[in-house]
Amino acid sequence: MSKYQVNEKGYYGKFGGAYIPEMLYPNVEELRQEYLKIMNDPDFQAEFDQLMRDYVGRPSPLYLAERLSERYGANVYLKREDLNHTGAHKINNTIGQILLAQRLGKKRIIAETGAGQHGVATATVCALKGLECVVYMGAIDIKRQAPNVARMKMMGATVVAAESGSKTLKDATNEALRDWINNPVDTHYIIGSVVGPHPYPDMVARFQSIISSEAKQQLLDKKGKLPDYVMACVGGGSNAIGMFYHFLEDESVQLIAAEAAGKGIRSGHSAATSVLGKEGVLHGSRTILMQTPDGQVIEPYSISAGLDYPGIGPQHAFLHENKRVKYVSITDDEAMQAGLLLTRLEGIIPAIESAHALAQLEKMKFEKDDDIILCLSGRGDKDLDNYMNYFSF
Ligand SMILES: *Cc1c(COP(=O)(O)O)cnc(C)c1O
């Protein structure tokens, strides 16, 4: 087993584990005992592969962005997760988990969502498989994200407002956990990133690793070599882990992850966890997170809802600590400019999350023959209002 992957105890170095209330133990333990058995079953793999191909539209292309490449003096390849059904990488994970839930005999799915992207991806696969779906969402987020709430309802999901605390993602997560404690037998909780108690970070990483297994082969087919750089944005970290997964052992490949610096790292309005974070427990795992000296979680901020998370998954905390991945911080302004640049050079409107990874290209110096693979985690349709307000179109 790779030194970068989870060990039998559920840890990446000192990070990871399952720090959960005792009442959740049976649910998480059932998952821990079953997930690898189910995922390695040939029937499961055949159904997963078929849905990835015929429903999601995989493999997603590896696109050589020629005008962007010209600007940076190197070959920039975009891994086009934006072309997936529902417009981002999140569907890879929700398909995997719904198939797993079915094999565990679950009849009911719950999820939490912040901006609504994970809620939509979950409602989608519940419609696909005819399972009941309840999505917990902060009351404030429900108001801010009306189109995604409408999508979930149209797919038949019940959207429950979390009215406690700051009425955002963390409160929705608490409500979802409470639901799971009360419905341990028939319900599966679909977590949307490489976060949460073991085995979630490893399970989600495995589902998202399809991104790098495809991209590695695609570049080998085109160039007969490994890339020099592989880049992605990080909220909780699932598209980045998926993009890095099959390159972790290839030490010649430089891995770069872009976090949201919001209005600036020192502004008090950011989500730059790798710079500002300290060790602690968040959402059931030991990781690094932004917290006050007495351990209160700090509300994160980013212009992109998907990066607006106060921690990173435990595997990222480990990859940061042992320096296998370089973590960089990108401000709102840098990301917005990079999003506009890609649109004008390539005719592709990226999600603002993905634009954080694009913005890092501006800060680097490349050799002429360098090959860069950058994960375009999602499309920007959902962000049009945000772009329009920012640029006053
Ligand atoms: C949710 C989201 C992200 C951030 O989540 P990760 O788990 O860090 O990948 C990034 N990009 C898009 C398009 C998203 O929807």
Side-chain angles (χ1 to χ4, degrees):
M1 199 57 199
S2 154
K3 65 179 171 183
Y4 298 119
Q5 298 298 349
V6 79
N7 66 23
E8 327 70 67
K9 299 215 166 79
Y11 281 84
Y12 308 85
K14 65 186 164 195
F15 300 109
Y19 297 79
I20 50 172
E22 193 154 324
M23 290 170 78
L24 265 184
Y25 181 80
N27 310 35
V28 174
E29 181 58 16
E30 178 188 32
L31 200 59
R32 190 187 69 76
Q33 286 184 12
E34 300 296 333
Y35 83 111
L36 289 178
K37 258 185 261 169
I38 292 174
M39 288 176 72
N40 289 327
D41 179 64
D43 281 350
F44 177 93
Q45 286 176 356
E47 192 176 0
F48 183 75
D49 291 349
Q50 181 254 326
L51 285 172
M52 286 292 129
R53 189 179 65 236
D54 300 338
Y55 188 73
V56 178
R58 304 201 73 93
S60 64
L62 186 70
Y63 167 66
L64 173 61
E66 290 198 13
R67 298 187 67 210
L68 201 67
S69 298
E70 207 171 294
R71 179 181 176 94
Y72 297 118
N75 305 313
V76 182
Y77 293 88
L78 302 177
K79 182 59 175 160
R80 298 291 307 274
E81 296 300 298
D82 61 312
L83 295 177
N84 293 346
H85 179 47
T86 69
H89 66 291
K90 287 194 171 73
I91 192 83
N92 304 327
N93 170 47
T94 54
I95 295 239
Q97 287 201 49
I98 199 92
L99 297 182
L100 199 123
Q102 282 189 311
R103 283 159 177 79
L104 289 170
K106 308 292 178 181
K107 302 276 178 279
R108 182 172 174 272
I109 298 296
I110 58 172
E112 88 294 337
T113 195
Q117 296 300 112
H118 173 56
V120 170
T122 303
T124 301
V125 297
C126 289
L128 174 69
K129 289 296 181 182
L131 296 192
E132 184 188 347
C133 181
V134 179
V135 178
Y136 290 92
M137 190 168 183
I140 290 181
D141 290 335
I142 287 182
K143 287 213 184 71
R144 288 195 290 212
Q145 309 288 342
N148 277 340
V149 175
R151 283 187 188 99
M152 289 183 258
K153 289 187 172 165
M154 182 147 179
M155 307 259 197
T158 305
V159 180
V160 179
E163 301 281 0
S164 61
S166 54
K167 306 184 192 198
T168 57
L169 178 61
K170 133 173 96 50
D171 314 289
T173 304
N174 290 338
E175 299 283 330
L177 286 171
R178 201 163 307 148
D179 180 314
W180 207 23
I181 289 172
N182 290 327
N183 300 284
V185 177
D186 71 334
T187 298
H188 175 68
Y189 180 15
I190 298 191
I191 293 183
S193 190
V194 283
V195 301
H198 179 68
Y200 278 99
D202 183 51
M203 179 171 71
V204 177
R206 286 167 185 264
F207 289 137
Q208 292 292 2
S209 72
I210 191 167
I211 300 173
S212 51
S213 78
E214 286 176 5
K216 190 171 189 176
Q217 189 59 49
Q218 286 167 319
L219 193 71
L220 279 175
D221 291 347
K222 285 179 203 285
K223 303 290 287 270
K225 71 184 268 286
L226 292 172
D228 300 283
Y229 297 91
V230 173
M231 302 170 62
C233 66
V234 177
S238 67
N239 88 89
I241 288 289
M243 186 74 254
F244 297 160
Y245 199 94
H246 291 285
F247 295 110
L248 286 171
E249 309 290 310
D250 301 315
E251 304 276 348
S252 70
V253 180
Q254 297 193 45
L255 307 176
I256 299 175
E259 289 181 335
K263 297 183 173 161
I265 290 175
R266 306 287 160 209
S267 67
H269 302 279
S270 89
T273 307
S274 72
V275 184
L276 301 173
K278 299 270 180 304
E279 275 180 55
V281 171
L282 180 68
H283 296 162
S285 69
R286 173 162 285 277
T287 186
I288 51 178
L289 61 138
M290 303 199 308
Q291 52 187 318
T292 60
D294 58 351
Q296 294 297 314
V297 176
I298 293 174
E299 266 306 305
Y301 163 82
S302 164
I303 195 167
S304 88
L307 303 189
D308 194 350
Y309 184 73
I312 47 178
Q315 190 171 12
H316 281 290
F318 183 60
L319 294 169
H320 175 253
E321 185 192 56
N322 64 31
K323 299 194 165 59
R324 176 67 188 95
V325 177
K326 182 176 171 195
Y327 291 79
V328 298
S329 312
I330 299 295
T331 64
D332 289 355
D333 293 333
E334 291 166 338
M336 296 306 273
Q337 294 298 342
L340 183 61
L341 183 73
L342 184 72
T343 307
R344 295 280 162 95
L345 288 181
E346 299 286 346
I348 298 170
I349 303 176
I352 299 174
E353 291 85 355
S354 322
H356 283 71
L358 290 162
Q360 177 60 19
L361 292 169
E362 289 282 328
K363 303 184 174 186
M364 296 169 63
K365 286 265 176 295
F366 299 106
E367 306 283 329
K368 179 161 83 25
D369 297 325
D370 280 350
D371 292 309
I372 303 143
I373 299 180
L374 186 146
C375 187
L376 205 67
S377 55
R379 65 179 84 132
D381 305 32
K382 69 184 177 62
D383 298 318
L384 278 185
D385 281 351
N386 225 339
Y387 278 125
M388 283 178 43
N389 289 336
Y390 185 87
F391 291 110
S392 316
F393 289 139

